[in-house]
Amino acid sequence: ERIPAAAKKLAAMGAEAIELTGTSLTFYKGEAYNQQLRKIVTEASGLRATTMSNGVIEGLKAVGANKVAVATAYNDEVNDRLRAFLKEHGLTAVVVKGLGIEAIKDVDNVTQKDLIEFGARVRASAPEADSLLVSCGGFRTLEIIAPLEAKTGVPVISSMPHGLWAGARLVGLSGAAPGYGTLL
């Protein structure tokens, strides 16, 4: 219920487009709800809008993903919702493993080294995967995308960097960030 007011405020401050962050917020109730959230933001602000989940899906499709290994911060229930969301977009989650984090503040306890090791283990458990998704907008992942790609041999898509990539594209920018993985 706070989203429309926040969208109006951003528009009043001069925003040209809005990205609604929070991966699980935007995928948890499925694609129809994700679209509804975008519509709410657009109607409240008069601006183009996307979500972090749109960025993830667009990123996966841009690298040609079909069979995705998924490393998350989430518990099993949220992981099941993410698996269903990916399926709605024609993607197969061949493995989904989470760290079981339920309090957003606890993502700060996960280091980038931890994420590289965890992501590599998840990918190794699914050799048929053609990509790796690291899902949680609270994870600091920009700097680990290229090293994780080197370690796993597949393109890596992650919530915040690729959500922002989608947002940049809404205002006519490429979203490119050379040195930060295959897509960026």
Side-chain angles (χ1 to χ4, degrees):
E1 64 273 2
R2 296 182 306 195
I3 292 172
K8 286 178 188 175
K9 185 176 180 179
L10 289 169
M13 295 171 66
E16 295 178 37
I18 297 174
E19 178 203 344
L20 181 58
T21 60
T23 323
S24 58
L25 166 71
T26 55
F27 73 67
Y28 190 80
K29 292 183 179 181
E31 178 55 26
Y33 186 70
N34 182 47
Q35 288 178 19
Q36 182 182 348
L37 289 170
R38 287 174 62 190
K39 183 179 178 186
I40 288 168
V41 170
T42 297
E43 288 177 354
S45 67
L47 301 172
R48 291 166 291 168
T50 191
T51 69
M52 193 170 274
S53 290
N54 286 109
V56 165
I57 295 299
E58 291 169 19
L60 287 166
K61 292 192 174 199
V63 298
N66 290 299
K67 296 180 178 181
V68 186
V70 185
T72 80
Y74 320 129
N75 62 31
D76 290 341
E77 179 183 345
V78 179
N79 284 339
D80 288 344
R81 300 290 184 114
L82 178 54
R83 182 185 302 274
F85 184 79
L86 293 170
K87 186 175 181 179
E88 283 187 89
H89 291 277
L91 300 163
T92 301
V94 293
V95 63
V96 182
K97 293 187 180 179
L99 294 173
I101 295 172
E102 295 188 5
I104 191 67
K105 66 179 176 52
D106 292 339
V107 299
D108 294 335
N109 298 328
V110 182
T111 67
Q112 289 181 313
K113 181 178 184 252
D114 295 337
L115 286 173
I116 291 172
E117 291 170 2
F118 178 57
R121 282 194 313 272
V122 170
R123 163 64 173 109
S125 74
E128 70 275 27
D130 57 19
S131 56
L132 173 65
L133 169 60
V134 180
S135 185
C136 177
F139 283 155
R140 184 175 162 186
T141 56
L142 178 64
E143 299 89 347
I144 69 162
I145 294 171
L148 196 48
E149 286 183 345
K151 192 168 190 141
T152 63
V154 296
V156 174
I157 301 300
S158 184
S159 296
M160 188 60 77
H162 294 95
L164 294 174
W165 168 80
R169 292 164 42 102
L170 278 182
V171 294
L173 302 172
S174 71
Y180 292 102
T182 300
L183 182 57
L184 298 181

